[in-house]
Amino acid sequence: MKPYDVIILGAGAAGMFCAIEAARRGRRVALIDHAKAPGEKIRISGGGRCNFTNLDIRPERFLSQNPRFARSALARYTQHDFIARVNAAGIAWHEKTLGQLFCDGSAREIIAMLCKDMAEAGVDLMLATRIEDVRHGDGFIVATSAGELHAPKLVVATGGKSIPKMGATGFGYQLATRFGAELIETRPGLVPLTFTSEQLDEMKPLAGLSVSASVRYGRIAFCEGLLFTHRGLSGPSILQISSYWQEGEAIEIDLAPDVEIATALAAEKQMRGRQGVSVALGAHLPEKLARQIVARAGLVGNLADQPKAKLQALAQDVSAWRVRPVGTEGYRTAEVTLGGVDTRGLDAGTMESRHVRGLHFIGEVVDVTGWLGGYNFQWAWSSGWVAGQAV
Ligand code: FDA
């Protein structure tokens, strides 16, 4: 049995980053994954261009039962540290919107950078390797399809449950429970919302249509794109709110956040009263959507025919459209898993378990979930980096 100082389970963003850091500190590192290739989620991320971080990383943009937990790791390894790394590797990037940084070329460049760093640091990368058992006694013994490995430190970086088709298993949660960690209930995050068949009958004809919208749930709102689909609502603003939305509750959507619709319609009525209502509304919304909202409100005729109250109610339908989703598309399409290993059982500076010394949890398996826009990879880099300094 080859001796290791650290065994890392999961060669995703967090596992690879931790492996590099630990190996650069002279640790003998084995990194195990059941997949045939490392960083598969990096490869498909950001539409193939990997939104690898965000210029505006802030702890309050991460969801966790313990909102303070992520502060330490995010402060010790920042977005600027990762950007410097990407620059040093000669990877060209651009800011798309809202501080979101994407590769100009391909997400594969990020994977190639990490693989090169791992090879140079001497990480033993064991792909297509099944983890059969993990035992703890004198250190950790990991039984795999390639034999048994032994090390005093074990890092769990097996990610969440999202996109099972890509090898997500929930394995890390089972392991955490076995080692006495508490779990915060998991649920899909950054995921499209679904609706009743009656609501869908209205949405389906609009499938493919996108608008800039402000989507609110309680005190949190996101103003980004919204997309009508055959299955319901999607687009960045919906994905963002899905991480906060609670089942059974309604969300409120402003379909024209840059316009005071009631005022605009009243002014149009004054100036061009003979104009059709949907034509007037169509100045602020895609025509098809405007026609549907007017039809739903039961308004016929032109602006001049409408009493003030009816136009105000119509404006309300546009600016404060209340809809009650029935659910989400689930882990099948969710970008992330909310919940996970309870941070109260972890040291924020090292990601080490308070229950079992030498056992660390990093990345998505931990109850820290970022907004859409590069926040989740930054959590993977930051949590992987701090654990890499500690093991
Ligand atoms: P990750 O899931 O990346 O890695 C876990 C690894 O563990 C995998 O390689 C898996 O094969 C392995 N594993 C799991 N179970 C195992 C077992 N039983 N045995 C052995 N190995 C096992 N975020 C962002 O910031 N910007 C973006 O652009 C995107 N885009 C995006 C697109 C899509 C489609 C998805 C699904 C997700 C994103 N994300 C994202 C989220 C981001 O991908 C995610 O937060 C990180 O990949 C989490 O990194 P981890 O290393 O923690 O887990």
Side-chain angles (χ1 to χ4, degrees):
M1 208 188 322
K2 191 172 166 188
Y4 287 104
D5 299 309
V6 190
I7 300 169
I8 303 174
L9 309 181
M16 286 196 275
F17 218 59
C18 180
I20 294 163
E21 290 307 313
R24 283 181 175 174
R25 290 176 50 245
R27 302 292 183 266
R28 294 163 300 179
V29 180
L31 176 60
I32 309 173
D33 204 297
H34 60 180
K36 288 195 196 102
E40 279 293 89
K41 278 202 185 152
I42 301 177
R43 183 176 60 77
I44 62 158
S45 68
R49 288 217 159 87
C50 186
N51 179 192
F52 54 82
T53 192
N54 193 293
L55 287 175
D56 208 7
I57 297 285
R58 298 185 212 174
E60 57 271 24
R61 294 183 174 179
F62 292 80
L63 292 86
S64 171
Q65 289 286 307
N66 174 5
R68 297 189 60 80
F69 181 80
R71 280 176 188 272
S72 169
L74 292 172
R76 285 179 63 208
Y77 192 84
T78 70
Q79 66 273 35
H80 305 294
D81 294 320
F82 193 77
I83 294 166
R85 192 109 158 205
V86 169
N87 287 341
I91 299 173
W93 53 267
H94 61 278
E95 179 186 350
K96 196 169 170 191
T97 173
L98 302 170
Q100 302 168 4
L101 306 190
F102 286 75
C103 298
D104 285 357
S106 159
R108 290 176 196 274
E109 294 173 76
I110 299 286
I111 303 173
M113 171 186 84
L114 297 171
C115 286
K116 182 167 172 280
D117 287 352
M118 284 197 292
E120 282 173 8
V123 173
D124 272 357
L125 177 60
M126 302 169 64
L127 296 170
T129 303
R130 217 174 42 251
I131 300 163
E132 287 164 352
D133 192 23
V134 180
R135 297 191 302 279
H136 181 228
D138 176 20
F140 295 90
I141 297 158
V142 179
T144 77
S145 50
E148 273 195 358
L149 276 66
H150 184 268
K153 309 272 176 163
L154 182 72
V155 182
V156 181
T158 45
K161 294 181 186 171
S162 38
I163 325 272
K165 212 170 66 189
M166 294 198 67
T169 55
F171 171 83
Y173 306 120
Q174 291 155 25
L175 200 63
T177 332
R178 262 186 50 203
F179 283 116
E182 297 289 328
L183 290 187
I184 302 297
E185 196 183 344
T186 58
R187 61 189 177 91
L190 300 179
V191 61
L193 297 173
T194 56
F195 295 87
T196 61
S197 51
E198 294 88 71
Q199 289 168 316
L200 264 188
D201 286 344
E202 285 189 12
M203 291 172 188
K204 273 184 190 165
L206 302 170
L209 202 143
S210 79
V211 289
S212 166
S214 171
V215 182
R216 171 174 295 282
Y217 174 71
R219 281 164 38 177
I220 186 116
F222 292 95
C223 194
E224 292 182 56
L226 176 146
L227 178 70
F228 290 88
T229 76
H230 284 105
R231 291 194 291 265
L233 297 179
S234 186
S237 58
I238 291 291
L239 300 187
Q240 296 276 35
I241 215 73
S242 74
S243 296
Y244 291 87
W245 174 72
Q246 298 288 331
E247 232 167 282
E249 302 288 334
I251 55 173
E252 193 177 285
I253 304 177
D254 184 347
L255 291 163
D258 301 327
V259 191
E260 184 56 60
I261 292 289
T263 315
L265 289 180
E268 278 298 297
K269 185 178 168 182
Q270 286 279 321
M271 290 184 301
R272 283 176 282 273
R274 299 214 161 278
Q275 201 179 171
V277 183
S278 49
V279 175
L281 197 56
H284 310 290
L285 291 177
E287 221 182 294
K288 212 170 174 183
L289 179 59
R291 271 202 311 268
Q292 196 195 68
I293 295 172
V294 171
R296 195 191 326 133
L299 300 190
V300 281
N302 54 36
L303 281 173
D305 301 328
Q306 314 303 327
K308 190 175 168 195
K310 285 217 167 174
L311 285 185
Q312 276 175 344
L314 179 71
Q316 185 79 359
D317 289 346
V318 176
S319 312
W321 177 34
R322 276 177 73 77
V323 267
R324 205 177 291 278
V326 284
T328 74
E329 286 188 7
Y331 292 116
R332 188 179 59 81
T333 59
E335 282 201 11
V336 287
T337 304
L338 292 151
V341 176
D342 190 344
T343 57
R344 281 173 301 189
L346 300 178
D347 180 321
T350 61
M351 309 301 290
E352 187 176 17
S353 163
R354 296 190 196 281
H355 307 281
V356 181
R357 289 290 164 212
L359 177 65
H360 299 246
F361 292 91
I362 57 172
E364 196 176 325
V365 74
V366 177
D367 171 35
V368 173
T369 307
W371 282 8
L372 184 81
Y375 294 88
N376 286 296
F377 277 135
Q378 187 59 44
W379 171 244
W381 316 133
S382 297
S383 59
W385 190 90
V386 296
Q389 307 307 310
V391 287

